[in-house]
Amino acid sequence: MEEKENINNEEITNINNTNLIEENKTSSPLENTTDVINDVISNISQIEDANTDVNQEQVLDQSFESEKKKRKSKLPLIIILLVLVVALFIGVLLFTQKNKSTQNIYYKGIDILSSSLTTTFDKTQNNIKDLVNLKMTATIDINSNDKEIKDIIDTFDKLKLSFISQVDYKNKKMNIDTDMLYDDGSILKTNILVKDNIGYLNIPDLYDKPLKVLEDKNIDLMFNANNVEDVKVFVSEFSNILKTSLKDEWFSKTKEKIEVMGNNVNAYNNKLTLTSKSIYELENTIFDKMLQNDKLLDAMSSLTKKSKDEIKTNITDLKSKIKETNENVEISIYLNSSNELQKILIKSKTEESEEITEFSMTDVGTFDILVDKEKLGYLILKDDIIEMNLKDEEVSITFTLKDYYISMKMDGYGIKLEMSLTAKDSKGNIKILIDSLDEDMNMTLNIDFEEITDAKFNEFNVENAKNIEELTKEDTNKISENLSKNTTLLKLIEDLQTSSLSSIFKTEM
């Protein structure tokens, strides 16, 4: 028998950012990586299967195929649901780690997530210098068991791209020096300069003047990384809008017995119930409050370089597209008496169907992901790792976030894809692997980077720059002539011509 309790409507106080900064010195990477969360998708569409009159054998066949399609369709749905709940998970876990009170955990989770994001942005702002210099080297490694294309692969393996990137955030300028190499010889050196919202290209070995290749008033948006005040304002104001748009009557709290890891556990069900009417009301209220919040609008205007009137028009257009559906959503967060997370249930119901997504604890910080009792993966949320795995009959996806390391792996449809980023002590590596099982070939892009200290900004003279669209035939002929004098380029062309690549082209022709 469920024993109902009223939610304590005590005032949720703002968390002191100074205290959070002090706590973050010894806190988990979970709090320091919450800036990866950007959006919350609020609408989940349902698919209704069509029924046709056929004979009994066809009905059985269609039933089998329908169930197969239904199983396959769950992976996109669970990805959408994960976007909805990962931010909530992090807020709840931070709440349960820091608090033993019985405040409304939805409100409190929003508060703590917002404050943790703000702290992370503060750290980002403090770590970004006026001038950032990065030295990078990119190589491609291709492998195949096909002997006919081995010499082609050997040729491409000798290619290398090295570049030094300089970003002057204070003066809103960027310079990139590149050198494309083949067999350790230079094919082409370039200099790219961005300043005053204009992009310039300098190719000294080919042309004696810099070229103006791009002009856009919004180019300087890329230099806003050292000023995150607007982002902090947006996070804070939107969090308050979300909290004040949720009505107390949509929440309930009951004491229940649930099964966790094979044991019956007394838990408190903190439920948020959103009917189709309340979802419609919530969406409209959020947009209305955004339109009335000058601080939020000013921050959005500054970030996007659009006027407040343009921002308001865009928000109004989004609001006009809201329609009430017949969908109802229930989110239940189960905590034990020590405020430890035990389970999360998300029920999505329409007049035609109901789908239940469950995050059920199998170990401390580890949860199975189930849709209608069918396991589709797992989620690990611990101090030293966040990992999510989703798998259906077609594809498997794994996302991992550790200290100094992020990776995403996908295996399906005859292709393996792996992407990873490692960064520590001003050095790092980016790796992208594509493995085609059907073509019996794999390719790895490897980028090593390192921050250079005490470097001055390298800027070439652009006073005599020429618009690239104004190049004459004489100019292009001069560029072609200079290209033909490049011995390394000629060696690359010769190696390609003598490889089996030329025979492939001849066959196709």
Side-chain angles (χ1 to χ4, degrees):
M1 182 175 181
E2 297 181 354
E3 178 183 340
K4 293 193 174 181
E5 297 181 356
N6 294 325
I7 297 178
N8 297 327
N9 291 322
E10 51 191 284
E11 181 180 359
I12 310 297
T13 57
N14 291 327
I15 296 177
N16 187 287
N17 282 339
T18 304
N19 291 337
L20 269 174
I21 293 173
E22 289 299 317
E23 289 175 4
N24 261 308
K25 293 179 180 178
T26 57
S27 62
S28 69
L30 184 60
E31 297 177 46
N32 298 328
T33 54
T34 49
D35 57 316
V36 300
I37 305 169
N38 300 320
D39 298 306
V40 175
I41 301 174
S42 58
N43 295 312
I44 303 169
S45 59
Q46 300 293 325
I47 299 175
E48 182 179 2
D49 294 325
N51 296 317
T52 56
D53 294 328
V54 290
N55 60 46
Q56 186 175 3
E57 183 178 355
Q58 289 176 317
V59 170
L60 290 174
D61 290 341
Q62 288 183 354
S63 176
F64 175 79
E65 290 298 325
S66 176
E67 182 61 28
K68 186 177 179 181
K69 290 179 180 179
K70 182 180 179 182
R71 289 197 302 270
K72 291 182 180 180
S73 70
K74 288 177 182 177
L75 186 56
L77 172 63
I78 194 62
I79 292 175
I80 293 174
L81 290 174
L82 277 168
V83 175
L84 281 167
V85 302
V86 166
L88 179 61
F89 255 137
I90 293 174
V92 169
L93 288 176
L94 292 176
F95 163 69
T96 55
Q97 289 170 2
K98 296 176 180 293
N99 300 271
K100 297 301 178 183
S101 64
T102 57
Q103 297 177 7
N104 184 319
I105 63 171
Y106 293 89
Y107 293 151
K108 195 65 179 177
I110 293 171
D111 275 341
I112 293 177
L113 185 56
S114 173
S115 296
S116 297
L117 283 168
T118 300
T119 301
T120 301
F121 294 140
D122 281 331
K123 288 186 172 185
T124 301
Q125 187 175 32
N126 293 334
N127 288 336
I128 291 182
K129 306 167 187 176
D130 289 340
L131 179 61
V132 176
N133 301 274
L134 286 178
K135 180 180 180 181
M136 292 174 261
T137 302
T139 57
I140 296 178
D141 181 28
I142 305 174
N143 294 289
S144 175
N145 292 324
D146 190 341
K147 295 180 180 180
E148 293 184 359
I149 61 172
K150 188 180 184 305
D151 52 346
I152 304 175
I153 292 174
D154 291 342
T155 300
F156 281 105
D157 281 346
K158 296 177 184 179
L159 287 170
K160 181 186 295 185
L161 178 65
S162 67
F163 49 102
I164 296 176
S165 170
Q166 297 179 302
V167 183
D168 185 343
Y169 287 102
K170 183 178 181 180
N171 298 304
K172 296 187 175 182
K173 297 188 295 184
M174 178 176 68
N175 180 75
I176 301 176
D177 297 333
T178 72
D179 190 2
M180 181 177 290
L181 306 168
Y182 177 69
D183 204 13
D184 294 329
S186 178
I187 298 177
L188 187 65
K189 291 182 179 180
T190 65
N191 312 107
I192 299 170
L193 175 66
V194 177
K195 73 172 188 176
D196 301 326
N197 290 317
I198 301 176
Y200 300 93
L201 173 64
N202 186 33
I203 317 175
D205 293 337
L206 301 183
Y207 195 64
D208 57 1
K209 294 180 182 179
L211 299 173
K212 184 190 292 186
V213 295
L214 178 65
E215 185 171 3
D216 192 311
K217 65 179 181 179
N218 293 321
I219 290 179
D220 63 358
L221 283 175
M222 70 176 71
F223 302 107
N224 284 349
N226 68 328
N227 183 6
V228 296
E229 293 301 321
D230 293 322
V231 179
K232 288 160 59 179
V233 170
F234 176 84
V235 170
S236 175
E237 294 302 317
F238 188 80
S239 297
N240 287 331
I241 287 174
L242 181 57
K243 278 176 52 183
T244 56
S245 299
L246 292 165
K247 292 187 174 182
D248 287 341
E249 56 262 33
W250 296 345
F251 298 97
S252 64
K253 185 175 180 180
T254 57
K255 189 175 181 180
E256 302 176 12
K257 278 189 178 295
I258 61 172
E259 184 177 329
V260 179
M261 295 187 293
N263 300 318
N264 289 326
V265 176
N266 289 321
Y268 292 96
N269 178 3
N270 299 267
K271 182 185 290 186
L272 170 60
T273 302
L274 296 172
T275 64
S276 56
K277 182 177 180 181
S278 58
I279 292 173
Y280 180 74
E281 180 182 348
L282 176 62
E283 292 175 326
N284 278 280
T285 301
I286 288 174
F287 283 128
D288 286 339
K289 290 186 176 182
M290 289 178 70
L291 289 168
Q292 298 165 9
N293 191 309
D294 285 331
K295 287 184 178 180
L296 180 77
L297 294 172
D298 286 337
M300 294 177 70
S301 176
S302 178
L303 288 168
T304 61
K305 299 297 183 182
K306 293 183 178 180
S307 68
K308 286 176 65 173
D309 287 338
E310 287 180 285
I311 300 295
K312 285 184 176 181
T313 299
N314 291 337
I315 294 174
T316 302
D317 289 342
L318 288 172
K319 182 175 180 291
S320 66
K321 297 176 182 178
I322 299 174
K323 294 181 180 180
E324 184 175 349
T325 65
N326 66 343
E327 184 179 21
N328 303 285
V329 177
E330 291 181 0
I331 303 176
S332 294
I333 301 176
Y334 293 90
L335 306 179
N336 62 15
S337 58
S338 300
N339 264 353
E340 296 168 339
L341 183 62
Q342 305 293 296
K343 180 186 294 188
I344 289 183
L345 285 180
I346 303 174
K347 295 182 181 180
S348 177
K349 297 185 292 186
T350 65
E351 294 176 356
E352 299 83 14
S353 63
E354 175 179 280
E355 189 135 39
I356 300 177
T357 302
E358 179 178 346
F359 298 80
S360 182
M361 187 169 71
T362 58
D363 199 352
V364 178
T366 303
F367 300 83
D368 276 348
I369 303 171
L370 305 99
V371 174
D372 293 339
K373 303 298 182 181
E374 179 182 349
K375 182 178 176 180
L376 291 187
Y378 62 83
L379 179 65
I380 299 174
L381 286 172
K382 295 183 178 180
D383 286 351
D384 58 347
I385 184 173
I386 298 176
E387 183 168 299
M388 176 183 68
N389 173 267
L390 298 170
K391 185 177 182 180
D392 68 5
E393 294 178 353
E394 296 289 337
V395 63
S396 172
I397 298 175
T398 302
F399 172 80
T400 305
L401 178 60
K402 295 181 180 180
D403 201 9
Y404 313 114
Y405 176 77
I406 301 173
S407 77
M408 193 278 288
K409 298 179 182 180
M410 187 201 78
D411 186 354
Y413 309 107
I415 295 177
K416 286 185 178 181
L417 174 65
E418 296 183 13
M419 295 183 289
S420 66
L421 167 64
T422 306
K424 185 178 181 181
D425 299 332
S426 301
K427 295 182 180 181
N429 173 267
I430 298 172
K431 184 173 290 185
I432 301 175
L433 168 66
I434 302 174
D435 189 351
S436 174
L437 303 180
D438 295 336
E439 300 296 333
D440 190 23
M441 179 183 295
N442 66 73
M443 179 187 73
T444 302
L445 172 63
N446 195 76
I447 302 175
D448 293 313
F449 59 89
E450 178 181 0
E451 184 177 1
I452 305 172
T453 58
D454 301 326
K456 294 182 180 180
F457 189 82
N458 181 23
E459 182 175 351
F460 56 86
N461 192 327
V462 295
E463 290 182 0
N464 63 337
K466 189 171 185 177
N467 195 311
I468 194 170
E469 296 177 353
E470 297 176 356
L471 287 175
T472 64
K473 186 175 182 180
E474 183 181 352
D475 292 328
T476 57
N477 287 338
K478 184 65 176 178
I479 292 173
S480 298
E481 181 183 344
N482 289 330
L483 272 174
S484 65
K485 296 177 182 179
N486 189 305
T487 56
T488 304
L489 177 61
L490 294 176
K491 185 175 186 297
L492 170 61
I493 295 174
E494 182 182 353
D495 289 347
L496 288 173
Q497 287 177 337
T498 56
S499 72
S500 55
L501 181 64
S502 58
S503 62
I504 293 174
F505 286 145
K506 289 178 182 178
T507 302
E508 291 179 350
M509 293 176 63

